[in-house]
Amino acid sequence: LEKWSLQSALGQLQAKLDASEAESEAQIEQFLAQDLPLDSFLESFCQSRTRSHICRTQLEKLQELLQK
């Protein structure tokens, strides 16, 4: 039952957001070090930023619901 609690969901979303943010940072570092071509960088960076945005929005909505 604890697996499905709201606090557990909040923690999982936060972990997913943190991982996505770290992935974005790693992609930036690879691109700046010229280890990643521009086309590959743009594609992967846009995907990871989209995931981050979705996670952040879900997290904020869940926090908002918990406060009510």
Side-chain angles (χ1 to χ4, degrees), residues 16-26 48-49 52-53 56:
K16 192 174 178 181
L17 176 61
D18 293 344
S20 187
E21 293 286 336
E23 180 182 355
S24 296
E25 289 295 321
S48 65
R49 294 310 302 160
S52 292
H53 178 71
R56 184 181 321 284

Side-chain angles (χ1 to χ4, degrees), residues 9-49:
L10 215 100
Q12 289 176 1
L13 278 173
Q14 184 64 54
K16 192 174 178 181
L17 176 61
D18 293 344
S20 187
E21 293 286 336
E23 180 182 355
S24 296
E25 289 295 321
Q27 290 167 344
I28 290 170
E29 289 176 16
Q30 285 179 330
F31 177 70
L32 292 176
Q34 299 179 347
D35 293 336
L36 193 61
L38 179 60
D39 292 341
S40 298
F41 168 73
L42 290 175
E43 184 179 334
S44 61
F45 185 74
C46 286
Q47 289 174 356
S48 65
R49 294 310 302 160

